[in-house]
Amino acid sequence: MKSIKMMAILLTPLLLFAILLVPYNLVNQHFIVDWLGCGCPVIDEAGNMVENNFNANDFTALFWLFISICVTAISVFLSKRMQKEKKWFRVLYILGMFLVSLLITYQFCQMMMWN
């Protein structure tokens, strides 16, 4: 029972993605796209494509990468609860959380991509 509770505590940083998904998606649709523009190509009056340097897609990628870094930082602090003799397990846990958070970040960026 104690190990199940410990596993639940160690996986709680990933809940940050689930908690922020809906609010960020709404803010992205109603504010960020209007503010920065979508990733769609913009054509001026002469028919030339205008380069959109920083858009909502870039902001979304940076936001979820920041959340991924926060999840990893929280994981570092939570790893101190683990047994000190098994440092390799702590490193494996932190690396695993980082990789899982990057995978989630990639999926969210693909899901919220404006074309």
Side-chain angles (χ1 to χ4, degrees):
M1 189 65 158
K2 185 179 179 183
S3 64
I4 294 173
K5 182 179 177 183
M6 184 63 159
M7 287 295 284
I9 290 171
L10 292 175
L11 293 176
T12 55
L14 293 176
L15 288 176
L16 198 55
F17 286 106
I19 292 169
L20 292 175
L21 176 62
V22 173
Y24 180 78
N25 203 13
L26 291 173
V27 169
N28 189 24
Q29 289 176 0
H30 298 292
F31 177 70
I32 296 173
V33 174
D34 293 336
W35 175 42
L36 296 173
C38 67
C40 311
V42 178
I43 300 175
D44 64 3
E45 296 83 26
N48 299 324
M49 280 184 46
V50 177
E51 189 174 324
N52 191 357
N53 291 333
F54 189 80
N55 56 42
N57 294 337
D58 300 323
F59 187 85
T60 298
L62 288 175
F63 175 79
W64 289 115
L65 281 173
F66 176 74
I67 298 303
S68 185
I69 291 169
C70 290
V71 166
T72 305
I74 294 168
S75 299
V76 169
F77 290 114
L78 287 178
S79 72
K80 294 180 181 180
R81 291 183 166 198
M82 295 179 173
Q83 297 174 358
K84 298 200 186 251
E85 306 87 48
K86 298 183 180 180
K87 289 188 179 189
W88 63 271
F89 191 69
R90 291 172 63 184
V91 170
L92 187 64
Y93 162 70
I94 294 168
L95 183 63
M97 290 295 282
F98 179 66
L99 292 175
V100 167
S101 65
L102 282 181
L103 178 66
I104 294 170
T105 295
Y106 175 75
Q107 292 297 323
F108 281 7
C109 287
Q110 292 298 313
M111 181 178 66
M112 296 179 191
M113 186 74 57
W114 293 93
N115 293 326

